[in-house]
């Protein structure tokens, strides 16, 4: 159903789900500790699959609010955000926070060139800024 990939220094773990899985399957994975977002792929493995979008609990709950519990039986690609915002891995935490606000989103795709390294939530970014001593430090 899913695959995970540890990247970088081991702090970021990408979680993947195939686009032909249900929203119910995605919700089950999103309930796992440390999983805030899933990368929806068209393919069996993250290395072979094209990225379709990102799905979070927020997208699933919005679908449930609009269509009821039947939304859980929808394929996950139907709920995925296809137009997610991406930032460079070298962007400072303060600049990332500005991107969250500018794009009115709660998750950013962090990339190193064309390689997805992390899906960061706004709350993780705020926590890193608080723990890291302020906005001047560069995020990883």
């Amino acid at each position: 159903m899913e695959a995970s990939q540890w990247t970088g220094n081991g702090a970021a773990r990408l979680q993947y789900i195939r686009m032909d899985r249900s929203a119910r399957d995605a919700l089950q994975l999103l309930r796992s500790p440390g999983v805030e977002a899933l990368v929806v792929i068209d393919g069996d493995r993250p290395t072979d699959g094209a990225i379709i979008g990102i799905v979070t609990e927020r997208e699933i709950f919005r679908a449930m609010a609009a269509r009821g519990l039947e939304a859980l039986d929808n394929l996950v690609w139907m709920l995925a955000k296809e137009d997610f915002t991406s930032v460079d891995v070298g962007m400072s935490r303060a600049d990332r926070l500005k991107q969250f606000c500018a794009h009115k989103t709660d998750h950013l795709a962090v990339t190193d060139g064309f390689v997805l390294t992390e899906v960061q939530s706004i709350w993780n970014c705020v926590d890193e800024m608080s723990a890291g001593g302020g906005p001047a430090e560069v995020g990883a």
Side-chain angles (χ1 to χ4, degrees):
M1 176 173 19
E2 62 87 29
S4 62
Q5 175 181 344
W6 291 90
T7 59
N9 62 8
R13 184 173 67 166
L14 293 173
Q15 294 285 333
Y16 297 88
I17 187 167
R18 290 191 335 253
M19 66 182 284
D20 63 350
R21 304 305 299 187
S22 71
R24 186 179 314 275
D25 293 334
L27 191 57
Q28 182 179 3
L29 292 171
L30 287 164
R31 289 182 182 163
S32 302
V35 178
E36 296 179 5
L38 298 172
V39 179
V40 181
I41 59 169
D42 180 7
D44 290 330
R45 297 184 321 223
T47 55
D48 297 338
I51 296 175
I52 301 300
I54 296 173
V55 69
T56 66
E57 286 182 341
R58 185 177 190 173
E59 284 79 42
I60 296 171
F61 291 145
R62 282 184 177 169
M64 287 172 44
R67 297 188 295 275
L69 291 176
E70 307 86 52
L72 293 175
D73 296 323
N74 287 55
L75 295 178
V76 72
W77 71 267
M78 297 172 71
L79 306 178
K81 280 196 286 190
E82 298 172 351
D83 60 343
F84 54 89
T85 303
S86 64
V87 298
D88 186 73
V89 69
M91 182 179 279
S92 72
R93 292 177 184 134
D95 286 341
R96 284 187 195 182
L97 194 54
K98 289 177 188 174
Q99 292 299 309
F100 282 111
C101 297
H103 294 281
K104 298 179 181 168
T105 188
D106 55 351
H107 287 84
L108 294 175
V110 181
T111 60
D112 187 358
F114 291 108
V115 178
L116 179 65
T117 61
E118 175 184 8
V119 176
Q120 185 179 41
S121 76
I122 190 170
W123 304 117
N124 290 87
C125 186
V126 169
D127 287 346
E128 286 178 5
M129 285 183 65
S130 298
E137 297 196 9
V138 175

